[in-house]
Amino acid sequence: MSLTGTTNEQTIYFYLISKGLSPHGAAGLMGNIKNESNFSPTNLENSYEKKLGYTDATYTAAVDNGSYTNFAHDGAGYGLCQWTYWSRKQALLDNAKKVKKSIGDLIAQLDFMLSEMAGYKGLLDILRTATDVRTASDAVLTKYERPADQSETAKARRASYGQAIYNKYAGGSSASTGGTAHTGGTNMSKLYASAVIAVAVAEIGYMEKKTNSQLDSPTANAGSNNWTRYAAFFDNECPNWYNGKKNGYAWCDMFVDYCFHKAYGHENALKLLCQPEKSAGAGCTSSYAYYKRKGQVGTTPKVGAQIFFGTSTSNLTHTGIVEKFDSTYVYTIEGNTSDRVARRTYKRTASNIIGYGYPAYDVEDGVSGGSTGQTAPSAPSTSGEIVYTVKAGDTLSGIAAKYGTTYQVLAAYNGISNPNVIRVGQKIRIPSGEKPSASAPAAPSSPQTSTPGTVKVEAAMYFDKAQARTYTVTADSGLNIRAGAGTGKTSLGVLKKGATVRCYGYYNKVGSVLWLYVVANGITGYVCKTHLK
């Protein structure tokens, strides 16, 4: 999973809201995380850095590559929650290996944290229903973190961190009162388009169900009978939202409404969607009509806009959220598309795109006019490289895909230590020779045994700047570029003798043999360094 956020703090907040925590519950939990690690998933307990001879980065890398084998039993606190006890650290390590992520991966740690919390009776229920930060914060402190210091001073400190987070993202200034997210208070959070996009991104991969069962699981009980957790949320938690129960009905529009509710709270979601309570807005045609009554419709895509498909404004059959767009394409996140939540791409001129509804977002840095921001063209630098300015909703992997490269390449080229975190307005340098593409990267030379984009390429485990340069293939019969290190990995294509490949310093090893992570012929993969010069 990948979530939008310009900082770890922002990403964590959006993640927790997308998982059903109330704004107060999310903030209370985050106050504890701030106290433990200041939101750094690679944080090694400071007192152990000198003792073990590692920094946060080198400890994480050593655990990932297997050169350090005492992770579970070294007694050092690590990660967002400063996991310390051996069985919990072992479970954290096992989970990282299972999902094939770094031990310091932000989302993998958040997933693990919530799976742990499910085993603490009543804790998640408290965090999902909390209406004040202190209650949520104390529950995490006493039921989950359980530090030696559980004094009133410790509780107040963690709750104060949580209250500041609540004020920043959900509005309001009272530590004890409830209230609707994003309303009231001098520290009121802005209604940014990036917030709803972040929630939608977190839902990608969810599959509708064949029966009214296992609704919260992303993939279990998959079917095509329109049972979803989105409709169940409104039926059970917000019975005044629609004009009746909706589970079991087509759900593309309910998915959009759900994302808005999770991002902004009940009152502001209705305001942005231009809907009254008890609306008939669970249908695409009705939802478009609500925007139209407010004069907030048009035919130009905008970031965060609701896109509508059909044959006419009186016969709309599908909808989604605009994640981004350029001069040729519009990129969306949609529910009920092939019975799941997924990203889709359309020509802006597609005949089935009937129009857009424009929520009245607040103006966001890097997004002109709130929801009106078109991705600006990237300016070339004097060195021939391209400089891309990060916009709301961008991820490093998404930028990499646009230019036919990988996030690892861009991270290395730009000196980005945490690829999960980029900020609006940040300049990303694209290496010379990478060309923007709104579709899949160019296909490699034939023959190829697998289409690039359909095979998951393994993550590189090692980095050495000395390996970063352009190489020439020396193998007379050509050289396979593969989805992983080793001759048994899937071939993505064959590079002819004399072809060039570009490595930015990342690689994996098989025994003592280096397999470089390279870009060649518009695709990325691994080639054996033995056959390069």
Side-chain angles (χ1 to χ4, degrees):
M1 174 191 319
S2 178
L3 290 177
T4 301
T6 57
T7 64
N8 279 359
E9 177 191 289
Q10 188 181 72
T11 297
I12 293 167
Y13 180 80
F14 288 151
Y15 171 94
L16 295 176
I17 293 297
S18 77
K19 295 300 183 181
L21 273 63
S22 75
H24 294 90
L29 171 54
M30 288 179 66
N32 281 269
I33 296 175
K34 177 179 175 61
N35 189 85
E36 295 292 333
S37 65
N38 200 27
F39 307 122
S40 172
T42 61
N43 183 260
L44 172 63
E45 187 177 350
N46 291 345
S47 62
Y48 276 80
E49 290 187 359
K50 185 176 181 179
K51 179 179 179 180
L52 297 176
Y54 287 108
T55 65
D56 291 354
T58 59
Y59 182 79
T60 300
V63 174
D64 283 345
N65 65 35
S67 61
Y68 182 71
T69 59
N70 199 36
F71 175 76
H73 295 279
D74 61 15
Y78 180 77
L80 291 175
C81 300
Q82 288 294 278
W83 286 280
T84 305
Y85 192 67
W86 76 267
S87 62
R88 297 179 73 187
K89 289 187 75 177
Q90 184 64 56
L92 177 65
L93 180 61
D94 291 343
N95 180 73
K97 291 178 178 179
K98 178 180 178 181
V99 298
K100 297 181 180 179
K101 296 290 187 180
S102 166
I103 191 68
D105 183 82
L106 176 62
I107 302 304
Q109 284 194 15
L110 289 171
D111 287 342
F112 176 76
M113 177 187 71
L114 288 190
S115 69
E116 265 200 333
M117 286 184 171
Y120 291 76
K121 186 176 181 180
L123 178 57
L124 286 180
D125 288 338
I126 292 172
L127 298 181
R128 287 167 178 152
T129 59
T131 57
D132 68 275
V133 172
R134 179 60 186 266
T135 296
S137 179
D138 284 358
V140 175
L141 175 65
T142 60
K143 293 176 177 288
Y144 181 68
E145 288 290 351
R146 298 177 179 175
D149 183 4
Q150 298 186 26
S151 65
E152 174 58 28
T153 299
K155 290 178 179 178
R157 181 178 63 251
R158 294 185 184 221
S160 70
Y161 293 153
Q163 188 63 44
I165 292 164
Y166 177 82
N167 292 345
K168 182 176 182 179
Y169 292 103
S173 57
S174 169
S176 60
T177 59
T180 304
H182 298 272
T183 61
T186 57
N187 293 315
M188 181 176 64
S189 177
K190 297 292 187 178
L191 305 178
Y192 289 150
S194 59
V196 73
I197 292 171
V199 174
V201 168
E203 296 298 319
I204 291 172
Y206 180 89
M207 304 174 73
E208 73 175 71
K209 311 306 177 188
K210 61 184 176 182
T211 62
N212 188 18
S213 178
Q214 296 178 283
L215 299 182
D216 284 332
S217 171
T219 57
N221 193 32
S224 56
N225 288 329
N226 287 320
W227 295 100
T228 69
R229 71 189 189 97
Y230 312 117
F233 171 78
F234 289 111
D235 287 354
N236 299 324
E237 305 296 329
C238 303
N240 290 328
W241 187 278
Y242 296 128
N243 58 359
K245 290 187 178 294
K246 300 297 181 181
N247 214 349
Y249 290 85
W251 54 280
C252 58
D253 192 71
M254 284 183 276
F255 168 72
V256 173
D257 291 352
Y258 174 90
C259 292
F260 273 78
H261 193 287
K262 286 296 182 181
Y264 310 111
H266 190 99
E267 181 180 335
N268 280 312
L270 287 172
K271 181 177 72 174
L272 290 170
L273 293 164
C274 301
Q275 294 182 19
E277 285 197 320
K278 295 285 187 181
S279 75
C284 302
T285 302
S286 296
S287 286
Y288 182 87
Y290 286 123
Y291 284 112
K292 188 174 182 180
R293 289 177 192 176
K294 297 286 188 178
Q296 293 175 215
V297 296
T299 56
T300 302
K302 299 179 182 181
V303 174
Q306 187 168 355
I307 186 172
F308 292 94
F309 303 88
T311 59
S312 69
T313 57
S314 60
N315 183 32
L316 297 169
T317 57
H318 189 57
T319 189
I321 299 170
V322 176
E323 183 178 16
K324 57 185 177 178
F325 64 97
D326 54 34
S327 60
T328 306
Y329 295 93
V330 57
Y331 306 88
T332 66
I333 302 173
E334 303 166 12
N336 205 15
T337 176
S338 300
D339 301 331
R340 68 185 62 209
V341 178
R343 282 188 168 104
R344 297 290 183 237
T345 303
Y346 304 89
K347 284 285 189 70
R348 287 180 57 169
T349 55
S351 60
N352 63 331
I353 299 177
I354 302 303
Y356 302 86
Y358 303 135
Y361 296 115
D362 289 317
V363 176
E364 186 169 3
D365 290 344
V367 181
S368 175
S371 63
T372 62
Q374 176 172 338
T375 302
S378 301
S381 74
T382 55
S383 64
E385 68 189 8
I386 294 170
V387 178
Y388 179 89
T389 302
V390 176
K391 307 300 178 186
D394 279 339
T395 62
L396 195 63
S397 59
I399 296 169
K402 180 179 178 64
Y403 288 91
T405 184
T406 70
Y407 77 86
Q408 290 97 333
V409 167
L410 295 188
Y413 196 73
N414 289 272
I416 297 172
S417 59
N418 184 355
N420 291 316
V421 179
I422 56 175
R423 65 183 185 277
V424 172
Q426 182 176 348
K427 305 297 184 183
I428 303 295
R429 296 178 299 122
I430 313 296
S432 177
E434 310 295 354
K435 299 181 182 298
S437 172
S439 57
S445 304
S446 295
Q448 85 184 56
T449 60
S450 179
T451 304
T454 65
V455 174
K456 184 175 181 180
V457 178
E458 294 178 0
M461 299 296 294
Y462 304 95
F463 175 76
D464 179 359
K465 191 174 181 180
Q467 304 296 334
R469 60 181 182 274
T470 298
Y471 295 84
T472 302
V473 175
T474 60
D476 291 335
S477 58
L479 180 63
N480 282 286
I481 181 168
R482 298 184 181 274
T487 56
K489 302 296 183 179
T490 302
S491 173
L492 303 176
V494 177
L495 306 171
K496 296 179 180 179
K497 183 178 181 179
T500 58
V501 302
R502 185 182 303 157
C503 176
Y504 293 89
Y506 286 92
Y507 64 96
N508 280 343
K509 293 191 294 186
V510 177
S512 61
V513 178
L514 270 58
W515 285 72
L516 302 183
Y517 190 77
V518 302
V519 179
N521 284 353
I523 61 172
T524 56
Y526 291 86
V527 293
C528 181
K529 188 179 179 182
T530 305
H531 303 293
L532 301 174
K533 69 175 183 180

